[in-house]
Amino acid sequence: MKRALVLGVEHVMGSCLCESLTQHEWDVLGVVSDTETTAPILGNLTLAELLPEDLDFLYQLAEEVDTVFFHQPYESDETNAPFSLETIITLCENLKLQLVITTNQYDFSTNWLPSLAFWRKKNPIPVSVPSALLQRLEAASSHCEQIHVVCLGHTLDCRNNEGYLGLLIKETDDRLYIQSPSAANLQHHWTYLPDLASSIATHLTDCPSQANKGALHISYYAGHEASIADIARCLTLSSGKPVFITPLPWLAMDVISLFSPLFRRFMHLRTLWQQGIVTPRSHSLTQSSEQTPLALALSQSWRKKTIK
């Protein structure tokens, strides 16, 4: 039986990974940084509370597993574990473990000259794994069993502390407003995390060995390709309220960003919101089954938001 160590179980991605891995008959050790936070209760899941000073205990836990999972989102203002990604990479090097990283942190650059030409269409911007992280993982790959990096889009979640979508939605008693950072019909990549977790668990279970294909694997999860207008239509079904789209006041966001790290990150992604992104399609993570429809994913996310 495969054994996994999942960090950040109190967050959505960690919780989803635990559920998917146990469904595929993995034994899972889950790390939380606060026992008072919500974590799943599953038959094959054992939880442990670790703080930054518990590094020795982390190593003891890691000696009992063969795969370590770490989620590093761009959109969240919270850390997913008491340990840094560098600490986890070093741990997997020392114990020769398999490491799985999920992330939507990217390097991207724009060609400013074409973007200033008003008669030219602004094309989607290519993105890639941050070069510093890529160099570190290439160096670590010869010491780890394998390293998998799965890149994703914006988190499709209505809760403010889980992604930008919740930040953009404003609710009143009888209606919803979505502040659109881009043209309402511009397509963006959205990831429903339970789907991603299921795809990862299926892939690692069904394809346990890729030793002949190199130790570092980078893949991109397609998720939902949907516009703000598509999101609005599905939210109408999910919430039972009419949804209105309003432009995002970037000038106001710029002012707020002076005082908020979350809004500073949002401003950093302004060009991606306004032009969309292009991810390499040659290394896409195969979805484990038919992807959860956009309306159903938003409905499930919305119910969780309103119950809290």
Side-chain angles (χ1 to χ4, degrees):
M1 179 178 288
K2 288 182 171 292
R3 296 179 62 81
L5 178 66
V6 178
L7 292 101
V9 176
E10 66 267 40
H11 300 284
V12 174
M13 187 61 196
S15 175
C16 291
L17 278 169
C18 289
E19 293 178 6
S20 295
L21 291 169
T22 55
Q23 288 172 3
H24 284 76
E25 299 184 349
W26 289 53
D27 270 345
V28 180
L29 293 173
V31 173
V32 298
S33 56
D34 184 354
T35 54
E36 295 183 359
T37 58
T38 302
I41 300 176
L42 304 167
N44 289 345
L45 172 64
T46 302
L47 296 175
E49 181 184 13
L50 272 68
L51 300 175
E53 57 269 24
D54 296 324
L55 185 59
D56 290 342
F57 187 27
L58 176 67
Y59 268 77
Q60 292 178 25
L61 294 177
E63 288 175 349
E64 302 179 19
V65 306
D66 48 63
T67 305
V68 178
F69 293 82
F70 187 95
H71 183 52
Q72 183 177 358
Y74 198 98
E75 301 177 336
S76 178
D77 206 21
E78 301 171 291
T79 57
N80 286 271
F83 308 102
S84 68
L85 177 56
E86 174 58 33
T87 298
I88 302 305
I89 293 173
T90 302
L91 177 146
C92 292
E93 286 179 307
N94 292 338
L95 300 181
K96 300 188 181 302
L97 301 175
Q98 180 172 233
L99 172 61
V100 180
I101 302 169
T102 50
T103 183
N104 58 5
Q105 292 193 12
Y106 295 121
D107 277 346
F108 62 92
S109 60
T110 57
N111 187 337
W112 290 107
L113 185 58
S115 68
L116 294 175
F118 62 87
W119 62 88
R120 294 182 181 176
K121 181 180 179 181
K122 293 183 178 180
N123 294 320
I125 300 172
V127 296
S128 60
V129 176
S131 57
L133 174 59
L134 184 58
Q135 292 174 7
R136 179 66 181 92
L137 293 176
E138 288 174 343
S141 62
S142 60
H143 302 286
C144 298
E145 177 67 23
Q146 282 191 344
I147 299 176
H148 299 268
V149 181
V150 182
C151 304
L152 55 143
H154 297 303
T155 301
L156 189 64
D157 201 304
C158 295
R159 289 166 289 186
N160 285 340
N161 63 341
E162 296 297 345
Y164 288 136
L165 181 59
L167 178 67
L168 297 172
I169 299 174
K170 310 299 178 185
E171 182 179 12
T172 67
D173 292 337
D174 58 353
R175 64 184 62 189
L176 295 175
Y177 295 92
I178 296 183
Q179 293 180 301
S180 180
S182 61
N185 290 310
L186 180 65
Q187 298 293 303
H188 300 285
H189 294 272
W190 303 87
T191 299
Y192 185 52
L193 295 181
D195 285 344
L196 173 59
S198 176
S199 295
I200 291 173
T202 300
H203 177 74
L204 293 177
T205 303
D206 295 345
C207 307
S209 176
Q210 298 182 5
N212 296 327
K213 298 182 180 180
L216 175 60
H217 305 272
I218 299 175
S219 57
Y220 295 83
Y221 183 76
H224 294 276
E225 194 166 348
S227 67
I228 293 293
D230 296 328
I231 298 285
R233 285 192 292 270
C234 293
L235 276 178
T236 299
L237 299 173
S238 304
S239 66
K241 299 179 180 180
V243 180
F244 299 87
I245 300 174
T246 60
L248 181 73
W250 283 105
L251 179 59
M253 294 282 287
D254 201 9
V255 174
I256 297 173
S257 69
L258 297 174
F259 310 96
S260 168
L262 175 62
F263 281 81
R264 280 197 291 274
R265 289 199 294 272
F266 199 105
M267 290 298 300
H268 179 66
L269 298 176
R270 177 173 179 172
T271 53
L272 298 186
W273 279 106
Q274 292 179 324
Q275 295 179 228
I277 68 171
V278 174
T279 60
R281 295 294 187 180
S282 57
H283 302 286
S284 297
L285 177 66
T286 303
Q287 294 169 353
S288 60
S289 59
E290 185 176 350
Q291 181 178 293
T292 301
L294 178 64
L296 179 58
L298 283 170
S299 176
Q300 293 173 346
S301 172
W302 189 259
R303 285 200 297 269
K304 292 177 182 177
K305 175 180 184 292
T306 54
I307 288 173
K308 290 182 68 176

